[in-house]
Amino acid sequence: MSGLSAEQVAHYHEHGWLAPVDVMGESEAAAVLGLLEAAEQQHPDDLHAEHRNNAHLAFPFLAELALDDRIVDAAESIVGPDISLWSTVLFIKEPGSDGFVSWHQDAFYMGLDSGDAAPRSMVTAWLALSESTRQSGCVSVLPGTHTGRAEHHDTFAEHNILTRGQTVSDVDESSAVDLMLRPGQMSFHHPWLIHGSRPNRTANRRVGIAFQSYMGPGVRPVSGEHHVLPIRGAAPDERFTVVEAPTAELTPSAVATRASANAALSAVLYDGASRRRNF
Ligand SMILES: O=C(O)CCC(=O)C(=O)O
């Protein structure tokens, strides 16, 4: 694959989402999942449910995914040739678990401003490493909601996977679209698109990695410190703290880089919140 078609890009801009986009075959996705599950077993302290942000800064196989041309070429079709990556999240729902994601807009809490360039400056790529269906709690989106900013309130609900359990009030779910993906397929969503996901009611893990977000040069920090990984093209704006991809698994410098990026990310995501959770 080398980028998206004009029809795919037009669909993304009109509706705020695009899926499915083929990235790799199911056997390759299973191999990546195998690497992830081996890493989870070997390094549980570095990849447990409350420590799933920015694992690409400590595990080379995840950094390679973030830099994978098949994903980045598609992202480039939306954000242009100068790209950096703000963060990654491993969204893992265990079999039969209650974890869910409430309706929210990512950009509401990111502490970034993309000004007039918003439609073309940021995109989240969500890569499925296992089957993502309505039953296993795939990402659901509310088409067209990317053109406005919705009010959110914090719930800190027990099984809500989001930091603050942030939720858009009064959502009309009747138009929701489930972004069902085979392993190795990805979806794209706009930073202002309202989306969420239900619990996993299947006997299998639902595993996805969100590259959140690939950013073009139009994005500026508004508050807090922001660590970004250069992906391709021109260097990121000097207001961002530039980080490097890890050269080997969990090197002391990679662990330290991930820790500082996560501390800064947490400060941004919990800015103004009445309390903090451990993730
Ligand atoms: O993986 C999920 O269930 C939710 C993902 C999500 O909210 C996101 O990628 O922004």
Side-chain angles (χ1 to χ4, degrees), residues 12-219:
Y12 172 82
H13 286 306
E14 181 177 352
H15 302 288
W17 63 274
L18 179 69
V21 176
D22 292 328
V23 174
M24 59 181 73
E26 293 199 19
S27 56
E28 190 180 343
V32 177
L33 181 57
L35 291 176
L36 176 61
E37 294 192 328
E40 287 179 279
Q41 281 204 345
Q42 276 173 26
H43 308 290
D45 290 348
D46 297 286
L47 285 170
H48 58 78
E50 294 184 342
H51 199 13
R52 289 186 175 149
N53 290 337
N54 287 323
H56 69 295
L57 298 180
F59 291 89
F61 75 97
L62 293 174
E64 280 164 28
L65 265 190
L67 289 154
D68 190 306
D69 282 343
R70 294 169 294 185
I71 299 174
V72 179
D73 285 351
E76 179 171 335
S77 301
I78 294 167
V79 302
D82 302 318
I83 308 178
S84 52
L85 177 63
W86 190 71
S87 78
T88 60
V89 185
L90 288 161
F91 279 107
I92 301 177
K93 292 179 181 166
E94 300 300 340
S97 59
D98 291 326
F100 71 100
V101 171
S102 49
W103 296 111
H104 69 287
Q105 294 173 310
D106 297 331
F108 201 90
Y109 293 96
M110 287 170 86
L112 297 170
D113 179 17
S114 48
D116 294 341
R120 293 183 186 276
S121 55
M122 286 161 71
V123 65
T124 292
W126 195 103
L127 176 69
L129 296 181
S130 67
E131 202 177 10
S132 195
T133 61
R134 186 176 168 81
Q135 293 70 32
S136 68
C138 66
V139 175
S140 297
V141 299
L142 298 182
T145 51
H146 59 304
T147 53
R149 181 185 161 100
E151 277 315 308
H152 289 61
H153 63 277
D154 296 346
T155 67
F156 293 99
E158 184 186 352
H159 297 296
N160 196 323
I161 297 172
L162 297 180
T163 45
R164 315 156 67 127
Q166 60 265 34
T167 304
V168 175
S169 320
D170 302 327
V171 160
D172 172 10
E173 298 184 13
S174 60
S175 63
V177 175
D178 292 324
L179 305 188
M180 296 201 260
L181 302 173
R182 305 283 318 154
Q185 291 183 319
M186 71 177 164
S187 57
F188 279 123
H189 63 262
H190 187 283
W192 287 105
L193 187 74
I194 299 178
H195 61 288
S197 65
R198 297 178 188 80
N200 179 3
R201 295 304 179 212
T202 71
N204 303 310
R205 300 183 96 196
R206 196 229 56 174
V207 181
I209 176 163
F211 302 97
Q212 187 152 64
S213 299
Y214 287 110
M215 306 189 312
V219 186

